[in-house]
Amino acid sequence: MYLKVTKYIAFVLLAAGLCAQSCSKSFTDLTPQGSITDANYWKTESDAIFAANGLYQHFSYDNMFGRGLFWFINASDDMVTGRTDAGSAAVRNFTATGNENRINSMYRIFYQIIQRANTIIHKVPAMQINESIKRRVLGEAYFMRGYAYFYLAQYYGDQRAGVPIVTEENMLETSFVRPPHVRENFLQIEKDLLAAADLLPLLTTYDANDLGRANKDAAYAYLAKTNIQWARYDNARWAEVVKYCDMVTNSGSGRKLIDTDRPEEDFASVFYIANNYSSEYIFSVVSNKVNGCILPAVVFENTGYGLYNGWGYFHPSLELYNSFEAGDARKKATILEFNDSYTLFGEERRYYSANSQTGFQFKKYMEPFRYPIAQHLNPIGDYPTSDLNVPLVRYADILLMKAEASIMLGQSGDMEINLVRNRAGLPALQGATLADLKRERRSEFAAEYTDRHSDLVRWGDAQAAYARPATGRQHANKTDPTSSYTIVEVWSGRRFDPSVHHVWPIPPPDLSNSGIAQNNGW
């Protein structure tokens, strides 16, 4: 695993009594582990690097990018919950309370990341260490604080209230308030990410051991993502989206799509282990076989045909399947349907599923399952991690964010949309509309943390989309790849109230510990 972050867990970073004794438990849970204290830490270059490594610890948490945040994406019309599970059903049906164990830890963990970043920002400037290391570590801290606030603001903040802002300046306080508008969070995110962009190097300057760390392009990318959310409240932000997308493109790091004029292979190869750090890479969840991200196994067939553990939680809807244009190479790379040929553990087979609710499986993350188990998967099937990184931002998102912003500004987004379409084997568009852009994002980012649900919410399309039921294929013989099927409703239409459900409930324990108010309506 890159980053060398597998042995810092005992520190829980910030063992400094500073954090443990001064921070509201609604935001952090940083009780020191081990004997490291302020008195004997923050002395050496290794101390600073070790602290920065802790900012990435959540990459291996099942309830973060393993599947936790995916329960929010699962609310979209692209998929259904693949197993009977009351908590995840409540999330998808917008009846959750925030107490559900599926979603009750992410809010707290993001604040843990923030508090770890705060302590680095507080401690590292005074350290007598190599200046380039100091700049990078501080850049990582500013980046990860802005990154954490981005997700908190997207999921929990709106025009009625943002999320509490905790920085190095007020982290010793014992209570915090919600700002009156989420724009206050956006301003903080912007400030942090600009500081990060100034301090961080380009990805292309990292050696192999440091790939996966925050980098300059990632800071610009999250500035673009922040502004696209901000534009819901301020149209002037569309120009900022264009600006920061261009800064990624022109940074000098050579970010570009994987496109070798082989549509049937190019898009699929984005999700190959060999391309964890390809030209399309911006920022990903770094994973490995022992202590990595379980998302690929979460979407794999439940019980894995008796060959390896799969959890089968997220199944593509027929609506997603039908949304792809004819000839779009992304369809086969994204979804397995009955009788599709694919490779599983070194053997060619035809897809079928006794468990899929819809008759489909997501294929996008299945490359680790193509080889003998020990090659890319944890041999301990009860913890089915792999060494495939799971992308959070890739260059296609930069192109399509710029295209959307350009269209919203009354300009052409054709060039950027057509770069993405060309890679998929589709003809170029002229005068692409917002409807074209929406379809392109759905086809490009299905089952990714780019988040179809968040897109539908910010476009104002969620209410109509979720009122329609989700459908799938019911095969007569679920173990026969050639079996006939009928179309069935697999999930009833849902009531989405755009005045309530555009944000998620803050977990009640965090509310009671901090004294802040719940999002209205939840």
Side-chain angles (χ1 to χ4, degrees):
M1 180 179 180
Y2 299 109
L3 281 178
K4 294 186 176 178
V5 294
T6 57
K7 295 183 179 179
Y8 60 126
I9 294 175
F11 185 38
V12 185
L13 194 196
L14 317 182
L18 172 70
C19 289
Q21 63 187 325
S22 62
C23 305
S24 168
K25 286 191 175 181
S26 62
F27 310 124
T28 60
D29 184 15
L30 297 175
T31 303
Q33 298 181 21
S35 61
I36 299 175
T37 68
D38 250 1
N40 59 20
Y41 202 72
W42 306 109
K43 304 293 186 184
T44 68
E45 186 176 293
S46 295
D47 290 347
I49 294 171
F50 195 62
N53 288 348
L55 296 167
Y56 307 89
Q57 182 179 351
H58 67 285
F59 280 174
S60 64
Y61 293 175
D62 294 357
N63 284 333
M64 286 294 280
F65 291 103
R67 55 178 172 171
L69 292 165
F70 216 84
W71 298 115
F72 292 162
I73 298 170
N74 184 53
S76 81
D77 53 353
D78 277 357
M79 63 190 80
V80 300
T81 306
R83 295 168 60 178
T84 301
D85 184 279
S88 58
V91 178
R92 193 167 197 278
N93 288 331
F94 308 107
T95 59
T97 66
N99 271 319
E100 293 78 9
N101 64 3
R102 299 301 188 195
I103 61 168
N104 67 5
S105 60
M106 293 96 75
Y107 180 90
R108 181 184 69 254
I109 293 168
F110 277 124
Y111 274 105
Q112 289 177 354
I113 297 167
I114 289 164
Q115 196 61 8
R116 295 173 180 195
N118 286 341
T119 303
I120 291 172
I121 293 167
H122 176 68
K123 290 290 187 180
V124 168
M127 296 178 71
Q128 301 300 310
I129 59 174
N130 178 278
E131 188 62 25
S132 65
I133 294 296
K134 179 184 287 189
R135 287 178 58 84
R136 192 195 77 196
V137 167
L138 285 170
E140 289 177 273
Y142 280 113
F143 173 83
M144 294 304 290
R145 189 168 75 179
Y147 151 102
Y149 275 125
F150 166 78
Y151 289 106
L152 287 165
Q154 173 176 284
Y155 293 131
Y156 302 107
D158 63 12
Q159 75 284 357
R160 302 169 300 187
V163 296
I165 297 174
V166 187
T167 71
E168 76 281 9
E169 295 176 350
N170 68 340
M171 68 181 184
L172 299 186
E173 298 178 11
T174 56
S175 64
F176 301 90
V177 298
R178 300 189 70 175
H181 196 293
V182 73
R183 74 166 61 91
E184 302 303 315
N185 294 114
F186 294 143
L187 286 166
Q188 180 64 48
I189 296 165
E190 181 180 56
K191 180 180 177 181
D192 284 345
L193 292 176
L194 285 172
D198 180 59
L199 292 164
L200 287 170
L202 293 173
L203 170 74
T204 48
T205 68
Y206 282 140
D207 64 26
N209 287 328
D210 289 319
L211 292 174
R213 292 189 184 276
N215 62 80
K216 192 179 296 290
D217 286 351
Y220 290 141
Y222 274 92
L223 279 161
K225 289 173 77 65
T226 298
N227 277 281
I228 214 167
Q229 294 290 335
W230 200 346
R232 295 162 61 183
Y233 310 103
D234 180 358
N235 284 330
R237 289 290 148 178
W238 289 115
E240 298 297 292
V241 176
V242 172
K243 178 175 77 174
Y244 290 119
C245 288
D246 283 345
M247 291 181 84
V248 175
T249 298
N250 300 323
S251 72
S253 64
R255 300 301 90 194
K256 62 181 180 179
L257 298 180
I258 297 173
D259 188 352
T260 65
D261 294 325
R262 297 181 299 160
E264 299 302 321
E265 177 67 14
D266 287 337
F267 181 75
S269 74
V270 173
F271 307 94
Y272 289 174
I273 295 154
N275 285 327
N276 275 348
Y277 299 103
S278 72
S279 63
E280 191 150 348
Y281 171 86
I282 305 291
F283 198 61
S284 294
V285 175
V286 178
S287 188
N288 68 25
K289 294 191 295 183
V290 178
N291 188 36
C293 180
I294 63 170
L295 185 65
V298 170
V299 301
F300 180 46
E301 172 78 2
N302 186 20
T303 72
Y305 306 101
L307 302 173
Y308 189 77
N309 197 13
W311 295 3
Y313 270 118
F314 306 116
H315 296 160
S317 66
L318 183 59
E319 286 67 38
L320 171 63
Y321 178 87
N322 288 335
S323 71
F324 288 90
E325 293 177 59
D328 190 336
R330 293 172 294 195
K331 186 175 188 175
K332 286 292 186 184
T334 301
I335 299 175
L336 278 172
E337 62 179 305
F338 268 52
N339 210 33
D340 275 353
S341 176
Y342 73 113
T343 304
L344 184 64
F345 303 132
E347 295 184 2
E348 290 297 314
R349 58 189 293 153
R350 297 283 176 174
Y351 175 72
Y352 66 86
S353 173
N355 300 299
S356 175
Q357 303 291 314
T358 61
F360 302 109
Q361 178 186 297
F362 282 115
K363 187 181 182 183
K364 190 168 272 189
Y365 304 116
M366 295 311 297
E367 202 230 359
F369 295 86
R370 290 171 56 177
Y371 310 100
I373 290 171
Q375 190 165 341
H376 293 293
L377 295 168
N378 191 338
I380 302 173
D382 288 341
Y383 190 61
T385 61
S386 76
D387 53 6
L388 175 68
N389 289 356
V390 174
L392 297 177
V393 191
R394 49 191 182 85
Y395 189 63
D397 197 11
I398 301 301
L399 292 172
L400 293 183
M401 284 193 292
K402 182 180 178 182
E404 180 176 352
S406 298
I407 291 168
M408 295 301 294
L409 291 167
Q411 302 165 6
S412 174
D414 289 2
M415 183 176 75
E416 290 77 19
I417 286 178
N418 287 331
L419 284 171
V420 176
R421 289 175 61 82
N422 177 73
R423 195 254 295 274
L426 295 173
L429 298 176
Q430 290 187 341
T433 64
L434 185 59
D436 294 322
L437 181 282
K438 290 176 180 180
R439 184 176 193 176
E440 211 60 47
R441 284 188 68 84
R442 186 179 196 182
S443 299
E444 183 73 17
F445 301 122
E448 294 188 45
Y449 281 108
T450 307
D451 200 342
R452 164 79 172 169
H453 171 69
S454 180
D455 278 350
L456 289 172
V457 168
R458 67 184 180 83
W459 290 329
D461 295 342
Q463 185 175 28
Y466 299 163
R468 297 186 287 269
T471 63
R473 294 173 174 175
Q474 179 73 39
H475 286 264
N477 183 344
K478 290 189 173 185
T479 62
D480 178 2
T482 65
S483 175
S484 61
Y485 63 84
T486 56
I487 306 300
V488 296
E489 179 178 308
V490 294
W491 206 282
S492 300
R494 296 165 288 155
R495 178 183 174 273
F496 178 91
D497 182 345
S499 69
V500 174
H501 302 136
H502 60 295
V503 289
W504 294 101
I506 296 172
D510 296 310
L511 298 176
S512 62
N513 287 337
S514 62
I516 61 174
Q518 180 60 279
N519 283 320
N520 292 351
W522 285 100

